[in-house]
Structure formats: structure tokens, C-alpha cells
């Protein structure tokens, strides 16, 4: 009963993190800006950093089930 919200949160975090990493990679590949108004290196670092953080959190939550 208590694992339902944890599974939902884990799946949401993991999907968002994976999507953010894929989106950042696609933007870098075509040479488009990752974040509007930020430098290229800052945008890529922020996207990769937060994508990895969200993906790791989702995997941690799903692994705790």
C-alpha cells in the first residue's frame, strides 16, 4: 500500500531525467541552444547535471521497493 506513491515518484523522476538527458543530447547534436540566454557550456552542464540527478533519484526510489 505504501509502495504505490514511491513507485509513481520513482518512475516520474526516472522518466523526466532520461527525457532531459535525451533532449539535451539532441540539442547539442544539432547545435541548438540548450538554455535560452545562457552560455553553451553552462546550459549543457546544467542539463546533464539535473538529468543525471533526476535519473539517479528515480532509480534509487525504484530500487528501494
Amino acid at each position: 500500500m505504501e509502495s504505490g506513491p514511491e513507485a509513481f515518484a520513482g518512475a516520474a523522476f526516472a522518466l523526466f531525467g532520461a527525457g532531459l538527458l535525451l533532449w539535451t543530447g539532441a540539442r547539442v547534436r544539432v547545435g541548438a541552444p540548450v538554455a535560452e540566454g545562457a552560455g553553451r557550456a553552462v546550459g549543457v552542464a546544467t542539463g546533464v547535471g539535473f538529468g543525471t540527478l533526476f535519473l539517479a533519484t528515480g532509480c534509487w526510489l525504484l530500487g528501494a521497493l
Side-chain angles (χ1 to χ4, degrees):
M1 187 72 140
E2 294 176 2
S3 64
E6 186 177 359
F8 176 77
F13 273 101
L15 286 173
F16 180 75
L20 184 59
L21 287 172
L22 287 172
W23 182 82
T24 303
R27 300 292 286 183
V28 168
R29 186 174 186 172
V30 297
V34 176
E36 189 68 35
R40 184 172 176 85
V42 173
V44 171
T46 303
V48 169
F50 278 109
T52 303
L53 178 69
F54 279 113
L55 184 59
T57 302
C59 290
W60 177 71
L61 285 171
L62 290 174
L65 290 177

